[in-house]
Amino acid sequence: MGAARFDVPEVDAFTRTYWDAAAEGRLLIRRCGACGRAHHYPREFCPHCWSEEVIWEEASGRATLYTWSTVHRNDLPPFGDRTPYVAAVVDLAEGPRMMTELVECRDMVAGMPLRVTFREGKPVFGPGG
């Protein structure tokens, strides 16, 4: 039996749509039909107005950098082999804020334009807009 990995999502019946889209290179968010606001991470209800009238929507993939931290040590597999890496929070063009990892970025500046890319079926962000 292989070592436990802490970077593999636990897919369930509700999140399968999200992870299947990510495996195809598409980033999905949820949008509320009652208040119109988008949110991420996927939930079965709107965190803004509590309506259950939410649908999946493909995001543009554009974002801006909100904050970041370079991680030099992480003992959880497989992160230790990836250090240093940049953990970040980005503001998606559609409004929601999302935790992610930055790739191929140097000289980070808050507000810099980013674009989603996918690594092993998981969304990460790199330079672009």
Side-chain angles (χ1 to χ4, degrees):
M1 185 173 193
R5 289 185 57 168
F6 293 90
D7 67 330
V8 179
E10 289 188 29
V11 178
D12 60 27
F14 173 69
T15 62
R16 182 165 310 285
T17 300
Y18 177 83
W19 293 114
D20 285 350
E24 297 170 358
R26 298 181 303 121
L27 178 63
L28 297 183
I29 57 175
R30 301 280 280 173
R31 184 165 305 272
C32 179
C35 73
R37 294 178 70 181
H39 64 271
H40 185 81
Y41 62 91
R43 286 163 268 199
E44 296 185 58
F45 62 90
C46 175
H48 306 290
C49 74
W50 299 96
S51 170
E52 293 181 4
E53 189 183 329
V54 290
I55 60 167
W56 292 105
E57 174 182 296
E58 187 167 352
S60 67
R62 293 179 293 110
T64 57
L65 182 58
Y66 177 72
T67 191
W68 69 96
S69 180
T70 302
V71 178
H72 293 278
R73 180 177 176 143
N74 186 333
D75 295 330
L76 297 175
F79 297 108
D81 295 334
R82 294 183 185 164
T83 58
Y85 63 89
V86 181
V89 177
V90 300
D91 288 328
L92 299 176
E94 293 77 13
R97 199 163 266 170
M98 176 180 175
M99 292 182 65
T100 189
E101 182 179 344
L102 295 186
V103 295
E104 301 177 14
C105 283
R106 299 182 136 190
D107 303 320
M108 282 79 68
V109 176
M112 71 184 283
L114 300 168
R115 171 131 337 252
V116 73
T117 187
F118 294 84
R119 182 179 62 209
E120 298 176 7
K122 294 181 284 287
V124 295
F125 283 78

